[in-house]
Amino acid sequence: MSTLRKIHDVPVLLCPPEGEPIADERDVLDLIGNASHQGAEWVVVPAGRFDESFFRLRTRVAGDIVQKFANYRMGLVVLGDISPHTEESSALRDFVRECNRGRQTWFVTDDEELTERFKG
């Protein structure tokens, strides 16, 4: 069950590690709706919840999901170690780096990094 938590006064919906895999933009609509209903501005999803296709940029799954969050003005955090995926793909490394420069989608490795991102 997802829980709402404030991190540095930012309402964040934390998704549990267990649950249905997220494979396309339709799968995120419930997350976005639930987050919006609870007043969250960001949704944190454990990396393990994403289908493997999310990490292969040529499938466009990551882009479609990120765009869906942007359309609803909801931030997305992918939480966890995705280094096995970024080691295999320079395009994914670039995507993660670009996302982490912005204010819409972040890839963070742990709770400490998550808290730090919301600090500033």
Side-chain angles (χ1 to χ4, degrees):
M1 182 159 146
S2 299
T3 57
L4 186 67
R5 180 174 128 202
K6 284 205 172 187
I7 303 175
H8 295 290
D9 292 327
V10 178
V12 177
L13 187 70
L14 302 167
C15 296
E18 62 281 339
E20 292 295 316
I22 299 167
D24 58 34
E25 59 187 295
R26 290 178 310 220
D27 295 334
V28 300
L29 287 177
D30 284 340
L31 290 177
I32 292 170
N34 185 19
S36 181
H37 177 73
Q38 293 190 46
E41 295 175 11
W42 285 79
V43 176
V44 177
V45 180
R49 290 282 302 275
F50 288 99
D51 184 81
E52 288 297 311
S53 61
F54 179 84
F55 300 103
R56 292 189 313 272
L57 294 184
R58 71 181 172 275
T59 66
R60 297 184 171 183
V61 171
D64 290 345
I65 288 173
V66 166
Q67 186 62 51
K68 188 62 70 178
F69 274 91
N71 289 348
Y72 285 90
R73 295 188 172 99
M74 181 81 51
L76 170 64
V77 177
V78 178
L79 176 67
D81 179 16
I82 63 164
S83 60
H85 300 289
T86 57
E87 288 170 5
E88 292 179 5
S89 169
S90 62
L92 181 60
R93 270 193 309 275
D94 293 343
F95 179 73
V96 168
R97 187 174 36 255
E98 285 302 312
C99 285
N100 283 342
R101 288 182 182 164
R103 295 281 310 153
Q104 175 61 48
T105 303
W106 297 334
F107 290 80
V108 300
T109 55
D110 55 33
D111 288 334
E112 183 179 326
E113 187 179 355
L114 174 66
T115 301
E116 192 62 31
R117 289 298 299 228
F118 283 112
K119 193 183 242 182

